[in-house]
Amino acid sequence: MDCHILIIDDDRDLCTLIKECAAKEAINADYCQSGMAGLAMLEKKEYHLILLDVMMPGLDGFQTLEKIRSKSNIPILMLTSKDDTTSKIYGLRSGADDYLTKPFNMEELIARIISLIRRYTRFNGAGNGYRPLIYEGLSIDFDSRSVTTKNGTFDLPPKEFDVLLFCAKNQGRILTKQQIYEEVWKETYVYDDSNIMAIISRLRKKIEPDPGAPFYIQTIKGIGYRFNKEV
């Protein structure tokens, strides 16, 4: 791989270690120790992925995440020593694409970085030339990884786009949370629904005419979700 990532973490030793491990996979890493410094670096250089620590002095990871998401859909993998579900769900609802709790296995971290970059960035060239999927009031574009609704055209963060695309491709079919998770996250389902629920919630706020009464992504109670077969 030949790409650039940004590490925003106040643990300098950890940043150095990640940088060294990433370099073995031809991944170039820059790092800084605060949210404000990270935002400044993002203004000067383009990156393919951000590793973002939650517990930082000043502008914490959640606040930094929200500021990044207001301008960019770059893949973001959050790092935190917090192992509570509330923090995890908050990060995912705010726009994080993945979440890894410290201490973590360095090989797992690098594997997740590579997976996110391969799946969600377009540094290998243009898209595949597929025609957009068009439904009533909604268009999903493969090449630009964007959606068009009556409110306009906008990009979706990586995980949101892949969840939507998987559901849309299986229009009318009831998909379990396990099926969605294993397709999108490419890892074994461990009965943790918070990722999927957060993604679906964010998607509905963006594409549904009325998020409180979903038209496109319908909930099948006790099972999972279904993309409306009537659209």
Side-chain angles (χ1 to χ4, degrees):
M1 304 186 76
D2 183 14
C3 53
H4 294 79
I5 67 173
L6 175 62
I7 308 166
I8 307 176
D9 193 310
D10 61 343
D11 186 336
R12 185 180 294 273
D13 291 338
L14 177 60
C15 290
T16 301
L17 178 59
I18 295 175
K19 180 180 177 70
E20 292 174 351
C21 293
K24 296 177 182 179
E25 299 291 340
I27 300 173
N28 304 295
D30 295 330
Y31 61 83
C32 57
Q33 274 69 60
S34 72
M36 290 303 296
L39 294 174
M41 293 180 73
L42 286 169
E43 292 292 334
K44 300 176 182 178
K45 185 174 179 179
E46 291 188 5
Y47 293 95
H48 297 100
L49 177 140
I50 296 172
L51 294 181
L52 178 60
D53 184 37
V54 170
M55 300 299 290
M56 295 186 292
L59 199 68
D60 68 24
F62 294 135
Q63 294 169 318
T64 305
L65 171 66
E66 291 179 0
K67 288 184 177 295
I68 294 172
R69 274 290 171 256
S70 69
K71 298 180 179 180
S72 172
N73 288 315
I74 183 173
I76 297 175
L77 171 57
M78 297 202 77
L79 306 175
T80 182
S81 56
K82 287 188 175 181
D83 196 20
D84 62 282
T85 302
T86 300
S87 294
K88 183 175 181 180
I89 293 176
Y90 185 79
L92 293 168
R93 287 187 181 277
S94 298
D97 296 293
D98 207 349
Y99 205 101
L100 196 57
T101 303
K102 299 177 182 178
F104 48 78
N105 180 281
M106 193 58 64
E107 291 184 357
E108 179 182 359
L109 172 65
I110 298 302
R112 292 196 185 201
I113 290 172
I114 292 173
S115 177
L116 281 171
I117 291 175
R118 282 179 173 169
R119 286 170 61 81
Y120 307 129
T121 62
R122 299 190 292 274
F123 59 88
N124 283 325
N128 295 314
Y130 296 122
R131 292 183 178 180
L133 295 177
I134 299 175
Y135 305 94
E136 181 182 337
L138 175 68
S139 175
I140 305 171
D141 191 293
F142 289 79
D143 289 350
S144 65
R145 298 182 70 83
S146 65
V147 296
T148 300
T149 69
K150 65 178 182 179
N151 295 320
T153 299
F154 50 93
D155 296 332
L156 290 177
K159 282 291 193 296
E160 291 181 27
F161 185 85
D162 282 353
V163 169
L164 175 61
L165 185 60
F166 182 57
C167 291
K169 282 184 173 180
N170 290 277
Q171 184 178 12
R173 176 186 171 193
I174 297 175
L175 301 172
T176 65
K177 293 175 181 177
Q178 178 176 351
Q179 288 174 314
I180 296 173
Y181 187 89
E182 292 184 347
E183 169 65 24
V184 174
W185 275 264
K186 299 300 182 185
E187 48 185 61
T188 303
Y189 181 68
V190 290
Y191 305 102
D192 178 3
D193 297 337
S194 59
N195 285 12
I196 297 173
M197 293 172 66
I199 294 291
I200 294 293
S201 176
R202 280 154 41 191
L203 269 175
R204 284 173 169 167
K205 291 177 181 178
K206 294 176 181 179
I207 70 170
E208 296 286 358
D210 179 4
F215 178 65
Y216 298 110
I217 303 178
Q218 304 169 326
T219 297
I220 307 301
K221 190 173 182 180
I223 302 177
Y225 302 95
R226 177 179 60 198
F227 194 88
N228 192 346
K229 62 182 179 180
E230 304 296 333
V231 300

